[in-house]
Amino acid sequence: MRRYELDTSYQGNMPNEVEFTLDNRYVVKIGDERFYNLMGETMLSAFNGLVHPDDVMGFEQFINSDMSVRYCIVRCLIKNASYRWMLLVKKRIYEVGTDRMVELVAQDIIVISNDFDMYYHRVRKYRAIINVIDEKIFEYDPVSGMITIYCYRNNKSEIFERTSLKEWKEACITKGFVTGDDAVQFEALCTAIASGMNNFIVKLSSSIMSKGERVDNLIFRGQSLLADGENRITVGVISEPDRRTRTVQEYVGVDEAKLDLATGIYNKKTVTDMITDDINKTAVSDRNRQMFLMILDIDNFKSVNDSYGHYFGDEVIKAFADSLKLSVGGRGIVGRIGGDEFIVLIKDVTIEELRIMLKAMRKGLKVSLAQKQPEYMFSTSIGIAQFGKDGSDFETLFKIADAALYIAKEKGKDRYIIYDYNKHGDILADMKHDIAFGSGFMKPMAKYELATNIVMKVSLGMMTVKEVLSELTDKLNIHGISIYSGNDMECIYSTGHYKNNVIEAAYVNDDKFVNHFDEYGVNMVNNIASLTIEFPEVFRKLRDNNICSFLQMKADGADGKEYMVEFDIFGTNRRKWSDTDVIMLRMVVLGVVNAISGQLTD
């Protein structure tokens, strides 16, 4: 190695941490044995002479700063005549006479990085062990006064309790989770935890873990340990000797009775029963508990089956379920309720934690599904209802989450919607009519039923075209509808409060504009601003008529003419037309055009 070369190799015999003190002239006043083993006993007396020239300015600013600046990374020359990356940690500043002294710890970044990898491997190993045992773990932090009870499931922590020790103690006593002689034992347990007793074992019978549902024989084993050099925390395990017998009884035949065979997660009956049970218990014992019910599905899943076949579709469903289960981990219950639709109950997370979780979940699902077919743009939509805030029973929360899912679809998919009354209105009240308040949408099944009913009636002459247009504007919150026909696309029917009279739409037959219609004769424009460059005259015409979004559909009539139906949205509240809108309106257009061209109705 050349003199003064940067050395980034791992050297196991090198101390990973040394301590020393500098005065205001950067002279080493004190150094421990490890310091001189690393830097050399004949080192220069001024430490800034050992700092790489490019790092000297930053080093000196760090030394001369106050304790608000705790860390600095520099290259230091050690005794083997090579530079090593060092993390300098400022421990304290004090004075000796007129000299300002700075006490430091230097850590070799390469060595501590390697040590971190080693320790992290050990942590993963211990977590894996904890993951397969039945015992729950408890921790008490005397600084915050918080006690946390948790276990590991699917390599993620599942929290059963996180509250102050004082509140936990009071709640367990007032709610009758511990009674009689066991209350005395429970008092002793809380005292041992709070005082940081070195080692303790407390046995008692209580319904603490089941929150009043059943009485369990519990054994608390704990000890204290030094957490950060100053404060001691109390840690331990909670054993339930009777749990193994109960677990075996509960899960006999679980593969056949409780799991969805296609995905390996809970089936519809099991997951709805489990979630309902959890919600009902929480409604009685702790209405302030943070829980969220989520309904989610794969966007455009029908086209996956159509494009790649049902066998591939089954693989996508399985991959989706695996990724979803991994994302949720021990924080909730996951199940499949049909087709590509899933349900999740998330427990003990805040709204901020939920948003972060959802962001990571959606990205994880995308990556997982993309591995199945990189060319396909997979995404998922999610609707969420919050326990307590939106409702305290399964049926109410399910309906709200389901409606929120549909709002996510209406807004363009590939997103999540957490229901908010101020944004989305009283969904439950309007669901009696299958209409979402304030958003003017119907649920998919209701739309298809509406389309089928209209087509049947107009074909039999039981409904006029004008009545059809009125029905659609009313039920689907469409502001204006116009029907055109012939080479000049002359308007033959129109309804809605247009600013100007609707006369014709000949531009749709121009060769350049025709290319914007797909193979089914559909042209969807969510924002007319997209037309400004290519079709400026069309843009001005639409703008002058107060149109901001439109959906155009062409169809050939029985009389040999070409027809077009245009659905318009006015003002600035642009609309993203959903797949459901397109499909059901296409059904209506074909029925109406057939009726008009066959002269079955006026």
Side-chain angles (χ1 to χ4, degrees):
M1 179 178 291
R2 297 193 307 274
R3 183 173 176 82
Y4 302 157
E5 184 176 324
L6 180 64
D7 180 10
T8 58
S9 64
Y10 169 68
Q11 298 181 23
N13 61 344
M14 184 176 293
N16 63 355
E17 183 175 291
V18 301
E19 296 188 13
F20 61 104
T21 300
L22 303 181
D23 65 12
N24 50 9
R25 296 179 298 279
Y26 315 113
V27 173
V28 179
K29 305 298 289 186
I30 306 171
D32 64 6
E33 185 177 340
R34 294 173 301 169
F35 174 78
Y36 290 105
N37 281 335
L38 178 65
M39 311 306 294
E41 57 181 325
T42 59
M43 58 160 287
L44 296 171
S45 57
F47 192 84
N48 57 349
L50 301 178
V51 176
H52 192 283
D54 293 343
D55 300 336
V56 169
M57 182 179 295
F59 165 75
E60 292 180 352
Q61 290 175 346
F62 166 69
I63 295 300
N64 294 321
S65 63
D66 59 23
M67 286 301 294
S68 64
V69 183
R70 293 287 307 281
Y71 306 99
C72 178
I73 296 176
V74 297
R75 286 161 287 185
C76 293
L77 191 65
I78 63 174
K79 68 179 181 181
N80 69 355
S82 68
Y83 282 108
R84 299 283 294 186
W85 281 109
M86 293 286 181
L87 170 66
L88 302 183
V89 183
K90 194 183 295 175
K91 291 187 67 177
R92 68 180 178 127
I93 300 172
Y94 61 97
E95 293 183 358
V96 177
T98 59
D99 287 338
R100 178 179 182 270
M101 314 293 279
V102 182
E103 187 176 340
L104 300 163
V105 173
Q107 299 175 330
D108 187 292
I109 290 179
I110 304 299
V111 175
I112 62 175
S113 176
N114 188 79
D115 288 347
F116 174 81
D117 289 341
M118 177 183 66
Y119 292 133
Y120 182 63
H121 173 71
R122 290 179 182 174
V123 169
R124 291 180 62 198
K125 178 176 67 176
Y126 296 141
R127 282 183 175 175
I129 294 171
I130 295 171
N131 196 61
V132 297
I133 65 174
D134 290 333
E135 279 76 9
K136 293 179 180 63
I137 304 162
F138 67 89
E139 293 181 10
Y140 172 68
D141 180 359
V143 176
S144 65
M146 299 291 286
I147 184 170
T148 306
I149 300 175
Y150 62 97
C151 70
Y152 272 87
R153 296 288 182 265
N154 301 316
N155 295 311
K156 291 185 178 180
S157 62
E158 179 176 345
I159 296 175
F160 290 86
E161 195 78 56
R162 180 187 283 162
T163 184
S164 73
L165 178 62
K166 180 181 178 181
E167 290 177 358
W168 181 63
K169 175 182 175 182
E170 291 176 353
C172 289
I173 293 174
T174 56
K175 292 180 180 180
F177 295 165
V178 288
T179 58
D181 293 340
D182 292 301
V184 177
Q185 290 292 94
F186 181 67
E187 289 273 4
L189 169 67
C190 293
T191 301
I193 293 173
S195 64
M197 187 179 293
N198 192 31
N199 285 287
F200 60 87
I201 299 176
V202 177
K203 299 179 181 180
L204 68 151
S205 297
S206 78
S207 56
I208 292 173
M209 303 309 296
S210 65
K211 296 187 181 298
E213 182 181 346
R214 64 175 183 275
V215 175
D216 301 310
N217 293 318
L218 303 176
I219 303 175
F220 287 78
R221 294 181 174 88
Q223 67 177 59
S224 67
L225 57 90
L226 207 57
D228 54 11
E230 297 179 8
N231 298 303
R232 304 187 72 85
I233 65 171
T234 302
V235 298
V237 296
I238 307 171
S239 302
E240 300 177 57
D242 303 330
R243 179 178 173 79
R244 290 182 177 83
T245 302
R246 190 171 66 249
T247 302
V248 170
Q249 292 173 345
E250 287 176 354
Y251 287 93
V252 170
V254 66
D255 289 342
E256 294 182 2
K258 295 187 176 182
L259 300 184
D260 174 61
L261 297 181
T263 60
I265 61 176
Y266 289 121
N267 59 31
K268 181 177 181 179
K269 182 181 186 308
T270 302
V271 74
T272 52
D273 286 349
M274 292 176 68
I275 291 175
T276 301
D277 190 47
D278 255 18
I279 291 173
N280 290 343
K281 288 178 182 176
T282 304
V284 173
S285 62
D286 185 6
R287 293 182 68 89
N288 293 322
R289 189 182 187 188
Q290 295 269 31
M291 295 200 306
F292 298 88
L293 186 68
M294 299 166 39
I295 310 293
L296 62 165
D297 67 13
I298 303 170
D299 293 328
N300 307 315
F301 183 69
K302 183 179 182 298
S303 63
V304 175
N305 282 331
D306 292 344
S307 301
Y308 304 105
H310 288 278
Y311 180 78
F312 177 76
D314 291 342
E315 290 186 351
V316 170
I317 289 290
K318 179 64 168 65
F320 185 92
D322 290 344
S323 180
L324 182 61
K325 186 176 180 181
L326 182 64
S327 296
V328 174
R331 293 172 291 186
I333 303 170
V334 180
R336 182 186 180 196
I337 55 178
D340 64 320
E341 196 167 33
F342 296 78
I343 188 170
V344 178
L345 181 68
I346 299 293
K347 297 180 280 188
D348 300 311
V349 299
T350 65
I351 191 75
E352 292 77 16
E353 291 170 336
L354 178 69
R355 292 183 188 278
I356 295 171
M357 178 183 174
L358 288 167
K359 183 176 182 179
M361 177 190 293
R362 287 175 53 245
K363 289 183 179 294
L365 290 170
K366 276 189 177 183
V367 172
S368 174
L369 295 179
Q371 292 173 3
K372 291 292 180 182
Q373 180 52 261
E375 298 177 357
Y376 194 87
M377 296 297 292
F378 287 99
S379 64
T380 183
S381 297
I382 309 172
I384 304 116
Q386 183 175 354
F387 171 82
K389 180 180 177 183
D390 302 329
S392 55
D393 63 273
F394 175 77
E395 184 178 359
T396 301
L397 293 172
F398 183 90
K399 287 180 178 179
I400 290 177
D402 193 41
L405 170 63
Y406 188 63
I407 295 174
K409 296 289 188 183
E410 287 284 290
K411 287 183 173 292
K413 307 176 185 178
D414 191 18
R415 67 195 63 220
Y416 65 83
I417 295 292
I418 301 174
Y419 171 67
D420 185 329
Y421 180 88
N422 294 326
K423 290 181 180 179
H424 309 119
D426 190 352
I427 289 182
L428 284 184
D430 296 298
M431 279 178 63
K432 296 173 183 177
H433 312 288
D434 288 327
I435 302 289
F437 177 84
S439 302
F441 62 79
M442 300 173 65
K443 299 185 74 175
M445 187 55 67
K447 285 185 177 181
Y448 294 137
E449 290 175 355
L450 174 64
T452 303
N453 189 47
I454 287 175
V455 171
M456 180 187 69
K457 287 184 176 181
V458 77
S459 299
L460 295 175
M462 299 169 59
M463 194 174 192
T464 67
V465 173
K466 290 182 179 179
E467 289 173 339
V468 171
L469 302 188
S470 177
E471 183 85 352
L472 292 175
T473 56
D474 179 51
K475 292 292 180 63
L476 299 179
N477 196 27
I478 297 172
H479 301 159
I481 306 176
S482 299
I483 303 178
Y484 306 85
S485 71
N487 295 331
D488 295 331
M489 282 292 158
E490 180 183 353
C491 181
I492 58 175
Y493 292 96
S494 181
T495 186
H497 299 290
Y498 291 93
K499 276 190 175 182
N500 304 317
N501 291 333
V502 181
I503 301 172
E504 50 80 27
Y507 67 88
V508 300
N509 283 335
D510 290 345
D511 292 341
K512 196 175 180 181
F513 200 90
V514 165
N515 293 330
H516 286 258
F517 287 85
D518 65 17
E519 58 187 309
Y520 301 106
V522 177
N523 177 30
M524 182 179 359
V525 175
N526 296 325
N527 185 357
I528 64 167
S530 62
L531 304 173
T532 52
I533 297 176
E534 196 173 5
F535 307 103
E537 293 184 4
V538 175
F539 165 73
R540 285 192 290 270
K541 180 179 179 179
L542 295 168
R543 181 196 60 192
D544 292 344
N545 223 348
N546 199 32
I547 297 171
C548 64
S549 307
F550 65 80
L551 180 64
Q552 296 172 333
M553 294 184 171
K554 288 184 176 182
D556 293 328
D559 55 4
K561 293 182 180 180
E562 185 178 50
Y563 290 79
M564 185 190 77
V565 182
E566 180 174 303
F567 304 93
D568 295 316
I569 303 298
F570 299 154
T572 58
N573 188 21
R574 295 186 293 271
R575 178 161 177 171
K576 292 183 178 180
W577 302 89
S578 68
D579 289 347
T580 305
D581 289 335
V582 175
I583 294 170
M584 70 86 59
L585 288 174
R586 184 65 180 161
M587 291 169 58
V588 172
V589 166
L590 293 175
V592 169
V593 168
N594 183 62
I596 294 173
S597 59
Q599 296 183 344
L600 295 178
T601 182
D602 61 5

